[in-house]
Amino acid sequence: MSTRLTGHTRWRRLAVVMVPTLLASAALSTAVARGALAASFGVSPNSFTVSGQSFQISASTLDGRGFVQFGVLDRGAHASYPEALSGIRSADLYDLCQSVVQDVPVLGPVTLRLTSGSGGSPAHADRLVADSHDLQGDALFHNINIGQDAATVQGVPGVHGESGGFGEQADTVRIDDLRQQTRSVSAATFRLPGLHLSVQVGSNPCFDSGSDPSDHHSSDGDHADHHSSDGDHVSHHTPGDRRE
């Protein structure tokens, strides 16, 4: 089975995760404080203590094999954060950008920004796990199960949710114009060709969170055509090129 989100069902701002359910903030915060979500959400496989700072990740295209998704709680020093975990066994990310903006005394906003994977050589991650509270893009899944018990998903070895939790899995996933806001990311391996890490005074995030994903372009101004329509998707990241 192939599920393709096009026409009326292919949203320009596709929330691939279960974000609407997570955004009833007042009631949700109370439930988290009382531990009411623990049974269905559980603790994220990203078991490190998170700072709680939200940061951005964008890519012109994410191509992945082995996809799972379910709700989790990220644990901070003083709070817990409900997130939607997206796990991908093997992922290629074109025009990858990661940014976090923090206020620094005297200086004001300062941006830590990382870019990689431009010019046709994607960033590559194995066993990629991202806990996000907002994820947008144009998505294409193959052989997707929606509503599967989160404890039974098998797309990424060792990554599954709690019994009775709402989950989904797919054989493959592609997201064009990916825009993601997250609190934690981990990977077994992460290859970053053409890595550029910069610290800049001022606010220079990967994308404007209030704008349309279709307006996204890579930071280097050389946005490629590899996230065009399915019929002319260029050959340098066809399924045969993906790593296991």
Side-chain angles (χ1 to χ4, degrees):
M1 184 187 84
S2 173
T3 299
R4 182 178 176 183
L5 303 176
T6 57
H8 294 296
T9 59
R10 185 176 182 176
W11 307 317
R12 294 308 300 167
R13 292 181 175 225
L14 176 68
V16 186
V17 295
M18 298 79 75
V19 172
T21 306
L22 300 179
L23 295 182
S25 57
L28 188 58
S29 297
T30 302
V32 171
R34 295 176 179 173
L37 290 178
S40 59
F41 274 56
V43 178
S44 171
N46 288 344
S47 57
F48 52 87
T49 300
V50 302
S51 70
Q53 176 78 42
S54 178
F55 59 96
Q56 293 184 348
I57 295 174
S58 68
S60 59
T61 297
L62 180 152
D63 268 327
R65 277 186 159 182
F67 172 83
V68 299
Q69 193 171 77
F70 48 87
V72 294
L73 295 179
D74 273 350
R75 301 292 192 183
H78 305 291
S80 295
Y81 305 94
E83 306 279 0
L85 178 148
S86 297
I88 303 176
R89 187 178 72 248
S90 177
D92 287 329
L93 300 103
Y94 292 82
D95 303 313
L96 172 67
C97 178
Q98 176 182 306
S99 67
V100 60
V101 180
Q102 291 188 294
D103 286 324
V104 176
V106 181
L107 293 177
V110 173
T111 304
L112 175 65
R113 184 181 175 116
L114 177 153
T115 59
S116 174
S118 298
S121 297
H124 178 82
D126 294 308
R127 197 181 180 275
L128 178 65
V129 176
D131 296 351
S132 305
H133 43 277
D134 193 84
L135 176 61
Q136 301 181 36
D138 295 328
L140 173 66
F141 298 94
H142 288 284
N143 296 326
I144 188 171
N145 297 337
I146 301 174
Q148 183 169 337
D149 190 305
T152 69
V153 296
Q154 299 177 336
V156 184
V159 179
H160 55 80
E162 297 296 310
S163 179
F166 183 94
E168 53 193 37
Q169 71 175 20
D171 288 348
T172 66
V173 58
R174 192 180 90 198
I175 304 176
D176 292 335
D177 296 316
L178 170 68
R179 291 184 172 191
Q180 185 172 11
Q181 300 196 63
T182 181
R183 287 189 175 90
S184 66
V185 173
S186 69
T189 61
F190 213 156
R191 180 173 59 84
L192 299 170
L195 170 66
H196 181 201
L197 177 66
S198 64
V199 179
Q200 309 166 20
V201 176
S203 178
N204 186 26
C206 293
F207 57 88
D208 179 356
S209 58
S211 65
D212 191 281
S214 62
D215 296 332
H216 172 58
H217 297 287
S218 65
S219 60
D220 295 329
D222 57 354
H223 199 249
D225 292 331
H226 56 245
H227 69 289
S228 56
S229 62
D230 296 339
D232 57 4
H233 199 251
V234 303
S235 61
H236 65 243
H237 63 296
T238 58
D241 294 331
R242 298 190 185 99
R243 291 175 172 82
E244 293 295 335

